[in-house]
Amino acid sequence: MLKVIATQNYIEIQSRLPAGQRALLAAVAVFPLLAPYQLIIRPDWPGYLNVYFLFVAAISIGAVAVSGLFAWAAMAGLNERLRFDRAQGYLTYAVGAPIVRQQTTRRPLADIAHLETVKHDWSDGAPSYIFVTHMVDGKTFKAGSSWSRKEIDGIVARVSTFLGWSPY
């Protein structure tokens, strides 16, 4: 979820995975685990070396893999914050997740080379767009993702105006 907070002294772009969405992903991760329970643990298999058990084992392995992906998304979904602070003269970038230690980087606003909307094409479905801050040393800071180019372009224009630049 992309959120822009603006005051007279700073603009902050937040991209967070809401707690409710994390909880939903964690809850969904439990359901595929019913397949191994119902197919392997609950039945009393007379023998494990047969075609039927191998088929059931393959289904169960796939279910555990799907469960793991949902659990990983719940635990490792990043929260990002990009703050342009005119009063202090710094750009602050913070990123973290429940299983990833929060890391914060602070750079002078004078080190910003330009701001950009970057398009990310997916193999299936519509492209997404990301707000990117390019620094003079080549480092980039990305914040947020949206299916709407207009939304990200609006943020680029808003931050550019805040910094006293022309938007493009």
Side-chain angles (χ1 to χ4, degrees):
M1 184 164 111
L2 195 58
K3 182 178 180 181
V4 178
I5 301 168
T7 69
Q8 187 175 352
N9 294 325
Y10 69 86
I11 288 185
E12 185 169 293
I13 302 161
Q14 296 178 350
S15 177
R16 303 183 59 82
L17 184 59
Q21 203 168 4
R22 276 188 205 281
L24 181 63
L25 286 168
V28 170
V30 173
F31 288 111
L33 295 177
L34 288 173
Y37 174 75
Q38 293 287 335
L39 296 173
I40 294 178
I41 297 170
R42 193 169 180 207
D44 186 22
W45 286 89
Y48 297 110
L49 294 176
N50 59 56
V51 174
Y52 302 112
F53 182 78
L54 293 176
F55 180 69
V56 166
I59 290 172
S60 296
I61 289 169
V64 169
V66 168
S67 182
L69 289 174
F70 279 109
W72 180 255
M75 294 183 300
L78 294 177
N79 293 327
E80 295 174 309
R81 182 175 55 90
L82 190 59
R83 182 178 180 138
F84 298 86
D85 193 330
R86 194 170 39 200
Q88 294 183 3
Y90 282 100
L91 163 72
T92 305
Y93 176 73
V95 62
I99 64 168
V100 177
R101 181 177 57 88
Q102 180 155 337
Q103 299 173 359
T104 304
T105 304
R106 209 170 147 169
R107 303 281 300 268
L109 289 177
D111 287 354
I112 299 173
H114 68 282
L115 307 172
E116 178 183 26
T117 299
V118 174
K119 179 180 177 184
H120 184 83
D121 288 312
W122 297 96
S123 59
D124 55 349
S128 62
Y129 302 92
I130 302 169
F131 175 83
V132 179
T133 304
H134 295 273
M135 306 306 282
V136 292
D137 63 1
K139 187 161 176 70
T140 60
F141 297 105
K142 300 174 183 176
S145 179
S146 176
W147 300 111
S148 168
R149 180 179 187 108
K150 188 176 183 180
E151 179 182 15
I152 300 298
D153 283 344
I155 293 171
V156 169
R158 194 170 173 185
V159 172
S160 295
T161 302
F162 176 79
L163 293 173
W165 303 350
S166 80
Y168 292 97

